[in-house]
Amino acid sequence: MREDPDPALVALLRTDLAQAGYTADAVRALWGPLADEAIGHGLTGPALRALDRIEGEGAVAADDRPDGAAVRVATLARLLFLGAPTPLASVDAALPHAGARGLAALGLAAIEGARVVPRVLLRPQDYADGGADGGWWVASDLDEAALGGPLPPGHVLGVGGASLTLAGLQLPTPATRVLDLGTGCGIQALRARAYAAHVVATDVSERALAFTRLNVLLNEGAAAVEVRHGSLFAPVAGEEFDRVVSNPPFVITPRAAGVPAYEYRDAGFAGDDLVAAFVSGVGGVLASGGVAQLLGNWEYRGGEDGLERVRAWVDASSEPLDAWVIEREQLDPLAYAELWVRDGGTAPGTPGYATLVEAWLADFAARDVTAIGFGYLLLRRTATGTPTLRRFERIAHPLPGGSLGAHLAEALTAHDALALLDDDALSATRVVVAGDVTEARHHLPGVEAPSVIELRQGGALARTIEVDPALAALVGASDGDLPLGPLIAAIADLLEVDAAALRADILPRVRELVFAGFLHLAD
């Protein structure tokens, strides 16, 4: 892998990939859903057999026939998606401009006699941006299926579930300067380019920065991202950014002999100290009103709640921060240890597996860790100097597909608007129920009145909120015609309750529904 890829050569490769139709949909269509799922389990056999069949059929077809195009995609999928050696002649036919020698010059492959041996993976990746679908080509190091064994410590990871999650969480609102801290293969920097004019990508790994340079050139056609080497905020000391995004190497790893330290997931900190350092220090590089978004782990120690640990990190920030933290998952120490030992390519039953798991368990026991949380963090440097947003919550249910970034941006806007409205001003405001909200009523047999009324959200964070008849009636009548005050008064009259008491009870819950996206401010 070359540290400074030749832009002209990358442009030729980009032309070849585009003309070949090397897309995620095209690759999946070649080998089918079963083989595609098997790849996710580290099994490439079904996909390789499907490619063998396609290439065999194409050997007797003219290149200008549709099956000739399929052979071209099959060649690229074999070499660049699965990381399998491929005949030199096939690679030259699939890449008529760059050729196998172009791949070798870029450090992406080696030519060994009559075959091309991949040195990296280069995979197509779908993405959705504000409802518009698109795709990237993302280069990264060979995975354990291609290597046939554990990953080396300096491995640069490709696009995984966590990186796609963070890409979807990024606020889609415009920004001038964005920092991608711990860029890895550069996927967050590519996503940030959709809304930001200038992106700075940093990493402690020079190899990761080389991949970022290549991926930016492949997808942007120009050096549109500035890369810098260094740890945490050192490469950008004294600078400010409108947005900071980070999928940092937050995996909690024992500092013990024999435990591999993978750069893509382990920053060399003990326990959850890396996430703590990010949270407490990011305010120093955020402009006023700037937002930081990251994924992270945090420990539950003894009787201490993990989210309370995160709250303490926020309170210790160098600058006042708004905070919205969502815990998505909790694992016990054994499940966490097994997850990350397998992630490094050491499978159960193989030599060293038990030793590694026990090293993790001993490390957790030393700090009295009872569980490990994983989740999303959104931090904002407050413009007023006084934090107004403090939400630390657990949302464990499955979420709808697609990007959450737009919902997070809308929630922040709603929070800021609500902060300016006292109860009298809110009562004079009209609201509209969101189009994805449905109501479910649960009745005991033979009882007319519902025992439970639920409002359910089809999009956003797919929340379900239990409400009483008064709030259900207000949501049902929220079509934007009348302000909240008259609506509440009418509902109080209907239910024969005191209007002032109902207003005092219902307005805080309306604020929550507006923040959560069940209701929208119409004024």
Side-chain angles (χ1 to χ4, degrees), residues 4-28:
D4 291 301
D6 179 358
L9 195 50
V10 175
L12 293 178
L13 177 58
R14 184 173 66 250
T15 297
D16 285 336
L17 297 176
Q19 290 181 353
Y22 184 51
T23 66
D25 284 345
V27 171
R28 282 192 292 264

Side-chain angles (χ1 to χ4, degrees), residues 66-133:
D67 42 4
V71 169
R72 194 172 172 186
V73 175
T75 297
L76 296 176
R78 178 186 297 276
L79 180 74
L80 300 176
F81 199 109
L82 300 180
T86 305
L88 174 61
S90 298
V91 175
D92 282 338
L95 301 172
H97 296 89
R101 285 170 179 77
L103 292 180
L106 289 168
L108 308 184
I111 299 174
E112 298 181 358
R115 69 176 191 164
V116 180
V117 178
R119 292 288 180 258
V120 306
L121 300 178
L122 203 172
R123 291 175 167 174
Q125 177 63 57
D126 293 332
Y127 72 87
D129 179 20
D133 294 332

Side-chain angles (χ1 to χ4, degrees), residues 144-407:
E144 57 193 273
L147 291 171
L151 303 174
H155 177 84
V156 176
L157 193 67
V159 179
S163 53
L164 286 178
T165 294
L166 182 59
L169 288 170
Q170 286 195 44
L171 304 184
T173 49
T176 302
R177 302 190 77 223
V178 176
L179 169 63
D180 174 15
L181 191 153
T183 188
C185 68
I187 187 68
Q188 305 307 326
L190 287 175
R191 175 67 186 88
R193 280 286 297 146
Y195 59 82
H198 184 204
V199 178
V200 176
T202 68
D203 208 289
V204 297
S205 166
E206 292 281 13
R207 184 169 178 81
L209 295 177
F211 273 110
T212 296
R213 292 186 188 97
L214 172 65
N215 289 328
V216 170
L217 286 172
L218 264 178
N219 294 282
E220 294 276 339
V225 173
E226 180 185 354
V227 301
R228 302 184 193 175
H229 181 259
S231 177
L232 279 174
F233 306 110
V236 294
E239 300 179 51
E240 289 187 343
F241 296 84
D242 308 297
R243 204 75 49 80
V244 177
V245 294
S246 183
N247 184 14
F250 58 75
V251 175
I252 299 168
T253 306
R255 311 260 69 82
V259 177
Y262 295 108
E263 289 181 346
Y264 73 89
R265 71 183 201 191
D266 174 22
F269 287 68
D272 51 17
D273 286 353
L274 171 67
V275 181
F278 184 103
V279 172
S280 60
V282 71
V285 299
L286 282 175
S288 179
V291 172
Q293 295 180 271
L294 71 151
L295 307 179
N297 277 150
W298 41 85
E299 295 180 335
Y300 286 69
R301 297 182 180 177
E304 184 183 18
D305 186 289
L307 284 180
E308 289 304 310
R309 283 178 59 75
V310 181
R311 186 189 296 272
W313 301 339
V314 174
D315 291 341
S317 168
S318 58
E319 301 290 341
L321 294 176
D322 287 332
W324 185 6
V325 180
I326 300 174
E327 183 176 274
R328 292 287 292 137
E329 183 181 35
Q330 269 188 48
L331 292 177
D332 63 55
L334 177 59
Y336 189 91
E338 291 178 329
L339 170 67
W340 292 110
V341 171
R342 290 195 302 268
D343 177 81
T346 303
T350 60
Y353 177 82
T355 300
L356 288 174
V357 171
E358 288 169 5
W360 252 273
L361 296 180
D363 181 60
F364 284 136
R367 293 187 300 278
D368 196 20
V369 174
T370 57
I372 303 91
F374 164 80
Y376 318 149
L377 299 91
L378 187 155
L379 309 167
R380 182 172 62 172
R381 182 172 174 181
T382 57
T384 63
T386 303
T388 59
L389 176 62
R390 277 288 198 274
R391 291 182 70 96
F392 298 83
E393 56 184 324
R394 295 179 175 88
I395 300 178
H397 58 255
L399 300 181
S403 169
L404 283 172
H407 168 66

